[in-house]
Amino acid sequence: MTTVEKTESARKFLPRIVEKRWDHNPLERAIFDRWQNEGTFRFKAGKGGRPFVIDTPPPTTSGPWHIGAVAAYSQIDMIARSQRMHGKSVLFPIGFDRNGINVEIYVEKHSKVKMRDTPRQQFIDRCSRTLEDLEGQITNIMKLVGLSGDYDRKYHTDHESYRKLTQATFIELWKRGLIYETTRPNNYCHECGTTIADAEVDYEDLPSNLAYVNFKIEETGEMLVIATTRPELICACQLVIVNPTDERYSKLHGMHAILPIYGRKVQIKPHPNAKTEFGTGVVMICSYGDYTDVLLFRELGLKEIIAVDPDGRLTAAAGPYQGLTTLDGRLRILEDLRSQMLLVKTENIRHRTPVCSRSNTPIEIIPMKEYYLKQIDFIPKLKHLAKQITFHPNAGRQILFDWINSIAIDWPISRRRVYATEIPVWYCKNCGTAFLPPPGEYYRPWRDQPPSAKCSTCGHTDFEGETRTFDTWMDSSISALYISKYQLDAKFFKRAYPVSIRPQGKDIVRTWLHYSILRCYQLTGKVPFTDAWINGLGMDEQGEKMSKSKGNVIEPEPVLEKFGADSFRFWNASEATLGSDFRCSEARIAGAHKFLTKLWNLSRFISSFPQVKNAKVLPSDKWILSELALLVEKCRKGYRDYNFFIPATEIRDFVWETFASHYVEMVKPRAYGQGFTKAEQKAAWFTLHTVLKNTLLLIAPIAPFMTDHIWRQLYATKSIHAQKFPKPRWSKVHRRYTEKILEFNREVWKIKKEKALALRDPIEIQVPKALTPFEDDLIRMHSLLTKP
Ligand SMILES: [Zn+2]
Ligand SMILES: [Zn+2]
């Protein structure tokens, strides 16, 4: 024995990784701090070339994060980390969307004050304080799960610098005639006390009462039964329609119906919007029960009667029911109809009801004066732009197309709320002409006087400030402009815009994605991003949407505490292919944890062998390297498509099913030097380390903590996250043996099991001819007794 060999056997191949197990809790935190201290992920703008800019969704700071959000952001982090390993200079901004109704509702609930009963400034201050707490909690989770973002330059949509950009873009679009103010029926949420856009309306099948009400026909004196879920709106009825093909009613065309309770008469007309199968097939058209009503009032030029006021109460038009809420009014009019024998019957049905997506309360359609941003004129252009963007997965584009095709109205952008960007407009107290200040400052018209203004119409200098604010999407829709320093750093903007990727959930395609494309195109003439990444949503274990009311929300902190960020991230990446909804289950996360434990133990085992620079590899080594080459190819492709399901599952299968189970078992005797030459032993060491090293690189964006820890103990002092992805530089020729090797090993194990032999026990089995090149390894692996 040489001296070298003596020392080696003396060391008995002790693992160089000292910790016996991966103790995620102290380790992950220490590693994160190290990244921060070393500035591992600091964005270096450089000079030339395009940086890879991620338009990170600024989370709405209106409540603690649930596990689905944490999962989504951990995948966005995989985009950042994998792009760095592709050699890109990555800007991964961390922003917070801190404007609007969501925030206000959260504050109202938690501090038990009502926005409308609190002085404006006081309520604003309260919101700011609450936001600090919430942001702290969310930032903490971001760090726990390992987001490699730019924490030094966090941005906030409620910051002066952001709000003044929103205001400046409004002033610009106003000047270009893309903004107008008008009164028209629109979605109104009483709970939120504001007009909301179609994009913020959800539909729910809610239980409802369908009332069959008698209307007298003026001409014949007969009774006509009309079924309605909104009898309190009878006072606002201007027309009764029947389907032109409905022969039951063809003789009524042109006749008149007399409204019960009110005695006013309205025309009966044939119109295709009347559905013969709903109720009695006769429909009352009133202002406004639903969107059909809005369209018919417009189409037929009917005069609207406002029956519901902005507080959700019936107006004078409702006569005896004035001042009641719509619900109370409904019950009262039903009583009256019943006592007057005008109520034929009522039916319990489920009715597709429009509800506010924020407060979940049914909305009313009432006319309000609001500011609008033009979007109808841009529909053909928007479709064209949607084709320019590469979607991951491709199906995301269809969600956007479907939404664009359904747009029927310009975007109402004014809100009657307070914690949001103010609409920068004052009005002349003398003649009402609007005054817009020059862009570049943050304006609060509800509080401040306009800067040295004189009315352009009458020369008056007394102004009244606008009190309304913007829809929050007015702010968040220009995040791509804000992070690429639009109007702030022309040089950087030119290099960075359009930004590289917009990652987001499919639930906000109709809002965030659509509004971003619309707004940024109107301002720059370009799409805001070249790629859009549309993630599925996190559901509970049964596949149900998580919500507080259902009590099925999974809190992220205990899960991260229990399993660690790497297991959480690996679970999420391997759970579902990009774009599909995924189920959050502790058992599945535990499964991911098991895999990472396997990877840890395997790394520790391999770490006990010396690293050699080069070796003359044997057929078994060539075989596993050929499989590694394929793995590298597949992972690179998965990362290029931002589909982390591919690398996660391919690596798991390779490590578990091929590398650990077969190759490592085959070369154990050789690695320990049992019956092999020194050169052959070295080849095993070389190959074991080559596979481990490359596997760590490939999985680093998904499990960033453990891989960096192992990497720095074994391979380099510099972080694994400063490395590039490997290239598939090994021949794939030996892959032709894969099936046969796996088959043979399984066969031997099966036979030993049947004979109740231990894996190490000798057995008489011949290595098949096709596997002759692997004979030496296979014989020692299975202790095969070959016939002489
Ligand atoms: Zn609402
Ligand atoms: Zn004036």
Side-chain angles (χ1 to χ4, degrees), residues 101 105 188-194 196 200 355-363 417:
I101 303 175
I105 290 178
Y188 192 87
C189 173
H190 300 296
E191 180 80 24
C192 301
T194 186
I196 57 172
E200 295 164 307
V355 297
C356 168
S357 66
R358 294 173 199 271
S359 59
N360 227 27
T361 40
I363 55 150
R417 305 293 303 187

Side-chain angles (χ1 to χ4, degrees), residues 485-498:
K485 300 187 193 297
Y486 175 65
Q487 291 187 345
L488 212 65
D489 180 343
K491 256 192 186 158
F492 183 75
F493 181 70
K494 201 171 167 213
R495 280 172 56 208
Y497 186 90

Side-chain angles (χ1 to χ4, degrees), residues 427-433 454-463:
Y427 307 93
C428 171
K429 272 188 180 163
N430 184 44
C431 74
T433 301
K454 212 172 168 191
C455 175
S456 60
T457 312
C458 73
H460 223 76
T461 51
D462 250 6
F463 286 88

Side-chain angles (χ1 to χ4, degrees), residues 356-372:
C356 168
S357 66
R358 294 173 199 271
S359 59
N360 227 27
T361 40
I363 55 150
E364 289 289 343
I365 300 170
I366 57 177
M368 296 288 276
K369 196 174 183 190
E370 303 292 358
Y371 278 111
Y372 287 83

Side-chain angles (χ1 to χ4, degrees), residues 88-117:
K88 303 268 177 58
S89 167
V90 173
L91 175 59
F92 180 14
I94 299 286
F96 291 88
D97 191 9
R98 314 206 319 174
N99 285 323
I101 303 175
N102 286 349
V103 173
E104 293 165 339
I105 290 178
Y106 181 81
V107 171
E108 282 185 330
K109 269 190 194 146
H110 282 255
S111 52
K112 305 208 166 35
V113 295
K114 279 275 162 213
M115 182 186 88
R116 307 235 178 258
D117 306 336

